[in-house]
Amino acid sequence: MAKEKEVIRLERESVIPVLKPNLIMTLANLLERSNDRKEFLKLCKRVEYMIRAWYLLQFEDLMQLYSVFDPVDGGQKLKQQNLSSEEIDELEQNFLSYLFQVMDKSNFKIATDEEIDIALSGQYLLNLPIKVDESKLDKNLLKRYFAEHPQENLPDFADKYIIFRRGIGIDQTTSYFFMEKLDIIIARIWAYILKLTRIEKLLPRRSSARNKRDPKKNDEIVTEGEQNDFYVERIRIENMHISFRNLLSKITIQEPTFDRIIVLYRRSSPNSNAERGIYLKHFKNIPMADMEIVLPEKKNPGLTPMDWVKFLASAVVGLGAVVGSLDMPKVDLWIFAALSTVIGYCAKTYFAFQQNLAAYQNLITQSMYDKQLDSGKGTLLHLCDDVIQQEVKEVIVSYFILMEQGKTTKRDLDIRCEELIKEEFDTRCNFDVDDAVGKLQKLGIVARDLYGRYQCVGLKLANEIIGTTTEELVLKAEQSTIAS
């Protein structure tokens, strides 16, 4: 049924999409000697304990700062501290600085206008135009932050809210999509009638607030011929051959998803009392074409101006057909055909809107109960754990390659780490070798020679260099207590 393939090119990310226990046990089992496996497992634990200790103070500062900006009870804590407005502003900026650093370490990226345009260039399950009520959003918090910390490719709405995204997945839905198919058939018939009658030239064309981009005419939508990039296919009803024959058959549509999305914003204050609460919403598996469901402070959807124009134009055409038939002694069949098409189109517009509105409400409910992972402090705890998990996995993979391969350059290490993840776990990622090597050097278990090559120490020596951690002493004490 597909008329054409639509493939979206996406940047490969630095996230290692493998569970840490699975990663560690798989690499340990690749070692031939049991003593090496034992030392390797010990090293992995010590690496994690050390990395947790490094980030502990930073994460504590982050959580302490957010406690006064938590929308739930942060206002009370701010009043208790009796801070001036300037002091609160400084605390806000400190919190955002910590937050953006953690986001970067967790491999979250700010969604750009271009990425959002590409994502929303099609429709998936949500078929209504959703807009943000910008009057309900604060415009000073993020504006001040980006004035002090300028970044490239910020979206147009960066002064009101920020969308962080990470990871790519696939969502498929199989159904009859009866109303959607009928909508396409009627719309194509209507477009054909408008073309024949040349009325289409009188109707306004859709426009965008930004320069409209045709995704099929830029580098983001490409053919499948190139092999060095990451591609995800988008299967939409609009690109399928729909007819009355296959109207009652099931079809499967497919849309790329953002595996994780975090939205940051602050509500505006309706009165003189400044609203200081900072909102963080954490979502999972959001289809790119339905990204609107994560937007803050959404307006209630309604018929678009274009829908009203089409609706009124249909009524005028229908009225003209009726008036014209009154002057004729014998009514032609084409008048009945045109009139029935107009009535059908008006009915289609109304019922399609009602169906889309019900689907929208269902998606919003689903996003609240199924797709929203957490908010506020819970989101920060997720982020802190993500940082530790990713850092540990990067260090373990890079050390394993150095241990097995010996001296190597940073470039070769990067390639070998990506190859290992592909061979053992059948997944790809853009390995962050700079961060991994930096951590290994900080641990003191990797050194660089005069030629720029890196070499690690042996497993036993690596464990001795890191030494016994506090966590190990606590576990040993607990075991002694249980034994006694």
Side-chain angles (χ1 to χ4, degrees):
M1 292 175 64
K3 293 171 64 178
E4 59 181 8
K5 282 190 176 183
E6 183 177 346
V7 182
I8 301 179
R9 187 181 70 187
L10 300 167
E11 179 184 357
R12 201 174 296 282
E13 297 179 309
S14 300
V15 180
I16 301 177
V18 182
L19 292 176
K20 185 191 65 186
N22 184 25
L23 177 77
I24 292 174
M25 293 310 301
T26 300
L27 296 183
N29 290 331
L30 293 177
L31 300 175
E32 295 180 358
R33 296 190 299 177
S34 59
N35 190 49
D36 287 345
R37 286 195 293 271
K38 183 179 178 181
E39 290 289 337
F40 180 74
L41 292 175
K42 182 194 291 187
L43 179 65
C44 291
K45 288 182 179 179
R46 290 187 172 182
V47 164
E48 180 170 359
Y49 294 151
M50 290 297 294
I51 291 177
R52 284 187 181 277
W54 290 344
Y55 283 109
L56 178 61
L57 293 178
Q58 182 180 348
F59 290 162
E60 282 188 353
D61 289 342
L62 178 68
M63 300 304 292
Q64 286 294 327
L65 284 169
Y66 186 70
S67 66
V68 296
F69 300 116
D70 191 334
V72 178
D73 55 5
Q76 286 294 111
K77 295 180 179 179
L78 275 179
K79 288 181 181 178
Q80 293 172 2
Q81 297 188 33
N82 196 25
L83 299 173
S84 66
S85 178
E86 291 75 15
E87 290 173 326
I88 297 176
D89 290 342
E90 185 177 354
L91 288 178
E92 286 177 351
Q93 297 307 308
N94 289 339
F95 167 73
L96 290 179
S97 297
Y98 278 124
L99 178 64
F100 276 77
Q101 289 175 21
V102 172
M103 287 290 188
D104 183 59
K105 286 293 184 181
S106 295
N107 296 303
F108 275 90
K109 296 185 178 180
I110 298 176
T112 64
D113 281 331
E114 187 175 11
E115 290 170 340
I116 292 175
D117 284 344
I118 294 298
L120 302 183
S121 61
Q123 293 180 337
Y124 187 55
L125 300 179
L126 179 61
N127 298 308
L128 284 176
I130 308 301
K131 293 184 178 180
V132 173
D133 188 350
E134 297 184 356
S135 64
K136 295 183 178 181
L137 293 174
D138 174 75
K139 300 178 178 64
N140 296 319
L141 174 69
L142 291 168
K143 187 177 181 180
R144 286 198 305 269
Y145 175 78
F146 289 121
E148 297 179 11
H149 306 83
Q151 297 188 29
E152 296 181 353
N153 298 323
L154 286 174
D156 292 345
F157 49 78
D159 59 328
K160 295 173 282 293
Y161 59 95
I162 288 292
I163 298 176
F164 297 92
R165 53 91 179 167
R166 190 188 75 184
I168 302 297
I170 293 290
D171 187 79
Q172 291 184 334
T173 303
T174 300
S175 183
Y176 291 100
F177 295 105
F178 177 75
M179 291 300 295
E180 288 82 356
K181 292 177 185 175
L182 190 62
D183 180 65
I184 289 175
I185 292 173
I186 294 176
R188 289 174 181 174
I189 293 174
W190 177 246
Y192 180 72
I193 292 176
L194 290 179
K195 186 176 181 180
L196 284 180
T197 58
R198 298 184 179 181
I199 297 178
E200 63 176 356
K201 296 182 178 179
L202 302 177
L203 297 178
R205 298 183 180 274
R206 290 183 182 271
S207 60
S208 173
R210 296 186 292 270
N211 292 331
K212 186 173 179 181
R213 296 167 55 89
D214 184 353
K216 294 184 181 179
K217 293 182 181 179
N218 62 51
D219 293 333
E220 298 300 323
I221 304 290
V222 295
T223 62
E224 295 177 287
E226 301 175 31
Q227 298 179 354
N228 296 326
D229 296 306
F230 179 44
Y231 299 101
V232 182
E233 184 179 0
R234 167 184 274 173
I235 303 175
R236 299 188 290 157
I237 300 178
E238 296 95 316
N239 293 337
M240 295 181 177
H241 175 70
I242 304 296
S243 64
F244 287 104
R245 287 185 178 182
N246 54 37
L247 189 63
L248 300 179
S249 61
K250 282 188 175 182
I251 60 173
T252 298
I253 58 176
Q254 175 175 292
E255 179 69 17
T257 64
F258 288 122
D259 185 58
R260 294 290 185 270
I261 282 183
I262 292 178
V263 182
L264 167 69
Y265 66 97
R266 167 182 281 169
R267 290 176 178 169
S268 61
S269 303
N271 49 44
S272 58
N273 296 324
E275 171 67 46
R276 292 292 188 171
I278 298 176
Y279 290 82
L280 287 166
K281 304 289 185 181
H282 193 185
F283 300 89
K284 65 175 182 178
N285 302 327
I286 300 297
M288 291 184 181
D290 293 345
M291 269 185 63
E292 297 99 327
I293 63 177
V294 306
L295 296 177
E297 302 299 329
K298 294 179 283 292
K299 294 180 179 179
N300 290 326
L303 288 174
T304 65
M306 189 63 184
D307 289 332
W308 281 110
V309 168
K310 289 182 178 180
F311 194 84
L312 293 175
S314 302
V316 171
V317 171
L319 182 62
V322 172
V323 172
S325 65
L326 295 177
D327 296 334
M328 295 183 181
K330 196 172 184 179
V331 180
D332 292 338
L333 290 177
W334 76 268
I335 295 179
F336 286 108
L339 189 59
S340 61
T341 301
V342 169
I343 294 174
Y345 184 79
C346 293
K348 187 271 301 184
T349 301
Y350 174 77
F351 287 115
F353 172 74
Q354 293 298 323
Q355 184 195 21
N356 291 336
L357 184 60
Y360 166 73
Q361 293 170 345
N362 182 58
L363 281 174
I364 293 299
T365 302
Q366 185 183 19
S367 70
M368 292 298 294
Y369 289 97
D370 297 337
K371 293 185 178 294
Q372 183 168 334
L373 287 175
D374 220 321
S375 62
K377 190 177 293 184
T379 297
L380 293 180
L381 291 173
H382 271 289
L383 283 172
C384 295
D385 187 62
D386 277 347
V387 170
I388 294 170
Q389 298 297 315
Q390 287 300 318
E391 298 277 283
V392 171
K393 287 187 284 188
E394 289 172 359
V395 169
I396 290 172
V397 170
S398 54
Y399 179 85
F400 182 87
I401 291 297
L402 287 171
M403 180 179 63
E404 292 292 295
Q405 187 169 319
K407 284 187 178 182
T408 184
T409 63
K410 188 182 291 186
R411 177 178 174 79
D412 289 338
L413 177 61
D414 187 16
I415 295 172
R416 284 294 297 123
C417 288
E418 292 178 1
E419 289 176 350
L420 175 67
I421 295 171
K422 172 59 179 171
E423 291 168 3
E424 296 298 328
F425 306 101
D426 194 27
T427 187
R428 292 182 178 275
C429 75
N430 182 19
F431 192 81
D432 191 354
V433 69
D434 292 328
D435 193 43
V437 169
K439 293 289 187 298
L440 287 169
Q441 289 178 307
K442 188 175 180 180
L443 287 167
I445 58 178
V446 162
R448 182 183 180 187
D449 64 16
L450 296 175
Y451 301 100
R453 296 176 300 179
Y454 292 88
Q455 183 178 20
C456 68
V457 301
L459 279 169
K460 188 170 179 141
L461 181 56
N463 279 316
E464 291 176 359
I465 291 172
I466 295 177
T468 304
T469 61
T470 304
E471 289 81 0
E472 288 176 292
L473 293 175
V474 171
L475 289 173
K476 188 175 181 179
E478 288 181 351
Q479 291 171 357
S480 300
T481 303
I482 294 172
S484 61

